[in-house]
Amino acid sequence: MSSSIGRPSGAFGTDVPGVTLLRKLTQLSRAVAQAASLDQILQLAAAHAATILEADQTLLMLVGDDGLAHVRASEGVDPALAASLSGPLDEKLIMRIEQALVGSASRSFMAVPLIVQGEVTGLAAVTRSGARAWDDEAEALLAAVADQSAAPIEIARLSEEVRQARLIAENLRLTEAEREARAALEAERTRLATILENVPVGVVLAEASGQIIFRNRGVGQLLGYQYVPSQSTSEGPRFTGLHPDGRPYAPAEWPLARALGEGEVVSSEEIEIIRPDGNRVFFSFNAAPIRDPNGTIVAAVSAFHDVTHRRRVEQHLRQVQQMDAVGRLAGGVAHEANNQMSVVLSASAFILQHPGLSEAVRKDVESIRRAAERTAAVTAQLLAFGRRQILRPQPIDLNAVVSDFAPVLRRSLGEESTLALRPDPSIRTVRADRGQIEQVLLNLALNARDAMPRGGRLTIETSPVTLTPEYTGFKSDVSVRPGAYVLLAVSDTGHGMDAATLNRAFDPFFTTKSIGQGTGLGLASVYGIVKQSEGYVWAYSEPGQGATFKIYLPVDTAALFPAVELPIAYGASAGEVVLVVEDEEAVRTMLHRLLESEGYQVLEAADGQQALAVIEGAARVDLVITDVAMPALNGRQLADRLKLSRPRLPVLFMSGYTDDEMVRRGLIEPDHPFLGKPFTPEVLAAKVRQMIDQALPRS
C-alpha cells in the first residue's frame, strides 16, 4: 500500500496523452459550470477525477456548517462506508479515510484539499488497484481537478443558501410572521453579500441599462485595482485591464456586455488580460442574462475566476510531453548512430596505428575520427536532454570538481575572459555523475564565451541552501521537494537574454546563434542532466545584464550505479577467450578485431541462441560481451540462462540504447556492468580486463 497526500506546486505528467487530458479538464470546467445543483457538480467532479486518473474509488468531501467534513459525492465506494466517514478535516480523518478505502488490499491512496480563498473547504481522495504509487504528476492532475471544481462548488453552495432564504421568506410571509420573515431575509441577504464579498470569484450584476448594481471585492482583487465598496455605480459593464496586444478591451468583448445586449449565455470563456501591475493573467468567465416573466432581459450576472495557474500547468504538461517525445526519439537515434560510430571510431583507430600511413591519408582519417566523435557528442547531448543516458553517481565534492575542472574552463573561455571561483567550504557532499557535472560546467562556459565576444568574467559559486516549503511555493511551474541542497551558481557578464529568449532557453534545438554555429542542445542537455540528477535549474537574465544559472543538487541523493575505477593496465593473459554476441555484423567484426589486437581469443555469435551453442561447445570462455537488444534471445535472457549453467562466467552488457528505461523495464539491472556505444578501444580493453580479473576462480 502506498499513499500521497498534499498539493503539488506545478509540473505534472501522465500516461494519458496531453490532448486528451486538456480536453477532459475543459469538459469538466464546462460541465460544472452548467450543472443545476451542488450535488450534481460534486458528482461530476468525482466522476471526472475517477476517469482522468483511472481511479477505482473517488471521494469528495465538504466541510459543513457544523465544522465537520462529510462525503457529498463518491465513485466506486460503498454508500454506507461513505456515510460513516466524517469528522474534523485533519490528518486523523485522512488516515481513517485511507484505512477505510485501502484496507488490506494492494491499493495506492492520494488526497488533496479543496481550497477557496486560502481556506480548506473540503477534500478530494482517490485510490487505484496495484502497488504502483501515485507520482507528483498524478497529484498535480488531481489538484487541477480540485481547482477547476472549487469555485463552482462555492457558488453552488451560495445558490443553495439563497434558495433556502427564499423558502424561509415564503413560509413566513403571512400575518405577524411576515415582519420576522423580512428581518430574517435581510439578515440572510447581508450574510450572502458578506460571503460574495469574500469568495475568490469576481461577481458582477448589471441592469439592462448597463449600470452595475453589484460588484464584489473579488473583482478588484482579481483585476488588480484598489477596491472601493459600492453597491451601485454608474459605470457600464466594463473591466480594468488591457488586451494582450496592449489595447483596451472594447466593451462588447466582455461576456457581461454580450449577456446584456444579445442574451448570450457564456460558459468558461477564457480571456487573457494585462493587469495594471503589468502581469498577464487568464480568467475563466461565465455570464448569463436575467429575464422577467415575459422573457425581456432585465439584468445580467457574470462570474469569473483566475485560471492562470492551470494554464501554466497545461503549458508545462505540453513541454514535458515534448521533452519526452524528443527523449524517445533520441533513444532510437542513439541506437543506430552509436552502433555506426563504434565502427567508425574503431576503424579509425586501427588505420591510425598503421606504420606506413601517408601524412595526407592520416589527416583524412583524423578528420573522419573527429567527425565521428562530434556525432557521438551530439547524440550524448540528445540523450542528456531527454534524460535517457545512464548516470553513474558517486559521492563528490562540488568544490573539488570545479577546482579540478577550472583549467579546462579557462581554456574554453579564451584569453580575453577571466574565471572567478567562489567556493563555500561548508557545502556537503552530493551524489552525482562527475563527468556529467563537468559537461554541465563546460556547456555553461561555452555559452558564456559566446555571450561575451569582447571578453568578460565567468563566476562559479557554491553554497549550502535549504529549500523551504515557502520558497518552493514560488516555483509554480515545477514541483520542488523541500530539503537540503547544494547551490552551484554560474554567472557571466555577457549580453544577457530578453524574456522571450529566457523562456525558451532550455528548449531543444532553440538557439540564437547563426546556422552552423550551434545545435541548440547545450542548455537542453544541462537541463536533462540536472533533472536526471534529481536537481533543479533556473536561469535569470536581462538584456545587457549578463545571465546566471542556478543549479540545485540535493544532498545525499541515492545512486543508481556504483562507481567503479577502471584499471590502468590491460591486455590478455595467455589463453583467455572472449565471446562477442552482437546481431550487427559490422559491430561484431570490429569488436573481434579490437579484442584480438589485445591478445584475446575471440568467439562470435549473432544472437543469444547461437551464444548458448558456442559456449556449450567451447573448451574455455572467460567473458561474454553481449548486446542488450537482440532478436530470438536478448542479452538479459542470455545472462539469466548463463547464471544457471555457468554462474561464475562474467557478462558485460553493451548497447546503443543508453536509456535508463532499460533498467525500469528489466532489460538490465542497475548495478550490472554496462558499456554505452560508442566506446574507444582503450575503454573496451580496460573494462574487459577489469571484469576478467574480478571474476571468481573457475572450476
Side-chain angles (χ1 to χ4, degrees):
M1 178 184 73
S2 61
S3 66
S4 176
I5 301 173
R7 293 295 297 267
S9 61
F12 64 87
T14 176
D15 292 335
V16 181
V19 174
T20 303
L21 283 176
L22 300 183
R23 184 183 302 118
K24 289 184 177 180
L25 285 174
T26 303
Q27 290 174 349
L28 170 61
S29 177
R30 292 175 176 173
V32 298
Q34 297 174 356
S37 67
L38 174 59
D39 287 335
Q40 187 178 359
I41 291 175
L42 292 166
Q43 199 59 48
L44 283 169
H48 276 74
T51 301
I52 295 174
L53 291 163
E54 299 180 353
D56 55 4
Q57 292 179 312
T58 305
L59 278 182
L60 278 181
M61 307 183 76
L62 291 183
V63 177
D65 293 336
D66 58 0
L68 303 180
H70 303 275
V71 176
R72 295 292 300 269
S74 65
E75 287 282 330
V77 181
D78 187 325
L81 175 61
S84 68
L85 299 174
S86 64
L89 188 51
D90 52 21
E91 288 293 328
K92 291 182 179 179
L93 178 60
I94 294 174
M95 291 175 63
R96 187 155 60 91
I97 294 171
E98 181 178 2
Q99 184 177 7
L101 296 182
V102 175
S104 60
S106 177
R107 285 196 178 101
S108 297
F109 175 82
M110 176 172 59
V112 300
L114 297 177
I115 299 176
V116 174
Q117 202 177 0
E119 294 185 4
V120 177
T121 60
L123 183 77
V126 294
T127 69
R128 67 179 175 197
S129 299
R132 184 164 60 96
W134 298 101
D135 54 14
D136 291 346
E137 290 78 9
E139 197 170 323
L141 187 54
L142 181 58
V145 174
D147 288 343
Q148 283 286 84
S149 308
I153 288 173
E154 190 66 18
I155 292 174
R157 294 177 77 167
L158 297 179
S159 299
E160 281 192 350
E161 293 178 359
V162 170
R163 286 194 293 271
Q164 292 295 327
R166 288 176 177 172
L167 288 174
I168 293 173
E170 290 175 0
N171 291 334
L172 299 179
R173 191 167 49 187
L174 300 176
T175 62
E176 296 181 358
E178 184 175 5
R179 288 191 299 273
E180 298 178 3
R182 287 178 178 175
L185 182 59
E186 187 61 32
E188 187 63 26
R189 182 180 300 167
T190 301
R191 177 170 177 266
L192 290 176
T194 301
I195 293 174
L196 285 174
E197 284 293 341
N198 293 281
V199 295
V201 177
V203 179
V204 180
L205 180 64
E207 292 182 333
S209 63
Q211 180 179 355
I212 294 177
I213 58 176
F214 178 80
R215 178 177 56 197
N216 74 339
R217 187 187 306 272
V219 174
Q221 291 174 338
L222 291 171
L223 292 172
Y225 62 83
Q226 186 176 4
Y227 171 74
V228 179
S230 68
Q231 290 293 322
S232 178
T233 176
S234 59
E235 294 180 359
R238 65 180 180 85
F239 295 95
T240 300
L242 298 177
H243 193 275
D245 62 12
R247 64 173 176 81
Y249 272 100
E253 292 182 87
W254 295 105
L256 179 62
R258 303 205 306 270
L260 276 175
E262 305 167 17
E264 181 181 351
V265 176
V266 179
S267 177
S268 301
E269 179 179 316
E270 293 187 3
I271 298 177
E272 184 181 7
I273 296 172
I274 302 177
R275 298 198 311 191
D277 58 8
N279 288 328
R280 291 174 177 263
V281 290
F282 286 89
F283 294 116
S284 177
F285 279 86
N286 291 344
I290 300 173
R291 302 178 184 271
D292 64 13
N294 298 322
T296 303
I297 297 175
V298 296
V301 63
S302 177
F304 63 97
H305 62 282
D306 192 340
V307 294
T308 307
H309 176 71
R310 193 204 74 204
R311 291 289 292 260
R312 288 176 179 170
V313 169
E314 292 170 353
Q315 181 180 5
H316 188 74
L317 172 61
R318 288 191 290 269
Q319 184 181 25
V320 168
Q321 290 170 334
Q322 178 192 28
M323 291 169 61
D324 185 65
V326 173
R328 292 179 183 275
L329 173 63
V333 169
H335 178 62
E336 283 303 317
N338 288 338
N339 269 341
Q340 303 311 316
M341 289 309 102
S342 294
V343 176
V344 174
L345 289 171
S346 300
S348 300
F350 277 123
I351 296 172
L352 291 171
Q353 291 171 5
H354 198 282
L357 201 63
S358 69
E359 188 60 27
V361 174
R362 181 176 296 276
K363 288 182 179 180
D364 289 341
V365 176
E366 286 284 0
S367 298
I368 293 172
R369 181 182 59 81
R370 285 193 296 271
E373 289 174 346
R374 175 153 179 78
T375 300
V378 171
T379 303
Q381 285 186 318
L382 274 172
L383 293 170
F385 157 71
R387 290 175 260 173
R388 303 284 163 174
Q389 83 279 45
I390 297 178
L391 301 185
R392 290 165 174 81
Q394 57 182 314
I396 61 172
D397 178 358
L398 282 180
N399 288 341
V401 172
V402 173
S403 177
D404 294 345
F405 201 59
V408 177
L409 298 177
R410 287 191 174 94
R411 288 195 298 270
S412 301
L413 287 173
E415 296 180 357
E416 295 183 347
S417 296
T418 60
L419 175 66
L421 304 182
R422 296 177 182 173
D424 188 323
S426 66
I427 66 170
R428 295 165 60 185
T429 299
V430 300
R431 291 187 65 84
D433 187 315
R434 183 186 182 109
Q436 294 298 320
I437 296 301
E438 290 175 348
Q439 184 65 47
V440 166
L441 291 170
L442 180 60
N443 285 354
L444 294 178
L446 294 176
N447 260 36
R449 180 198 64 190
D450 295 339
M452 302 184 296
R454 296 182 179 85
R457 183 178 66 257
L458 181 68
T459 303
I460 302 178
E461 305 172 74
T462 62
S463 61
V465 296
T466 299
L467 299 184
T468 63
E470 290 76 18
Y471 175 82
T472 60
F474 288 109
K475 300 297 183 181
S476 60
D477 59 332
V478 65
S479 177
V480 179
R481 294 183 306 278
Y485 289 78
V486 174
L487 169 62
L488 177 64
V490 182
S491 305
D492 64 61
T493 57
H495 49 61
M497 295 178 280
D498 57 24
T501 302
L502 189 62
N503 287 335
R504 300 192 60 192
F506 297 111
D507 286 358
F509 309 112
F510 173 75
T511 178
T512 57
K513 300 175 185 177
S514 303
I515 296 176
Q517 299 298 312
T519 62
L521 288 171
L523 290 180
S525 64
V526 168
Y527 181 88
I529 291 170
V530 173
K531 294 302 290 183
Q532 196 172 359
S533 300
E534 300 185 7
Y536 307 95
V537 56
W538 286 286
Y540 304 85
S541 183
E542 292 183 9
Q545 301 299 317
T548 295
F549 293 86
K550 290 187 175 181
I551 297 168
Y552 297 85
L553 295 175
V555 171
D556 293 332
T557 302
L560 291 175
F561 294 87
V564 177
E565 293 292 335
L566 293 178
I568 298 175
Y570 45 83
S573 298
E576 288 180 332
V577 180
V578 177
L579 170 61
V580 176
V581 189
E582 167 63 63
D583 56 329
E584 292 248 2
E585 183 178 358
V587 178
R588 189 170 68 249
T589 301
M590 192 55 63
L591 286 171
H592 189 130
R593 289 186 62 187
L594 288 172
L595 293 169
E596 203 169 53
S597 69
E598 293 294 327
Y600 296 99
Q601 297 181 34
V602 184
L603 304 175
E604 293 186 20
D607 57 45
Q609 292 286 7
Q610 288 186 21
L612 291 175
V614 170
I615 292 173
E616 185 66 26
R620 175 179 178 178
V621 177
D622 296 274
L623 174 67
V624 175
I625 304 176
T626 178
D627 192 22
V628 177
M630 295 185 299
L633 195 69
N634 65 35
R636 175 61 184 271
Q637 293 167 335
L638 172 62
D640 289 342
R641 296 276 191 93
L642 293 178
K643 282 181 182 179
L644 300 176
S645 60
R646 302 220 179 169
R648 296 180 179 179
L649 178 60
V651 177
L652 171 61
F653 287 142
M654 61 179 178
S655 179
Y657 284 115
T658 54
D659 186 342
D660 61 355
E661 286 187 3
M662 291 193 301
V663 176
R664 293 196 297 270
R665 295 176 183 178
L667 290 177
I668 61 175
E669 297 174 355
D671 57 351
H672 197 99
F674 178 85
L675 275 181
K677 301 174 185 175
F679 42 77
T680 64
E682 293 79 12
V683 169
L684 173 66
K687 193 67 176 178
V688 169
R689 183 72 266 153
Q690 177 197 52
M691 291 197 62
I692 293 177
D693 289 343
Q694 289 180 347
L696 295 175
R698 291 170 291 279
S699 58

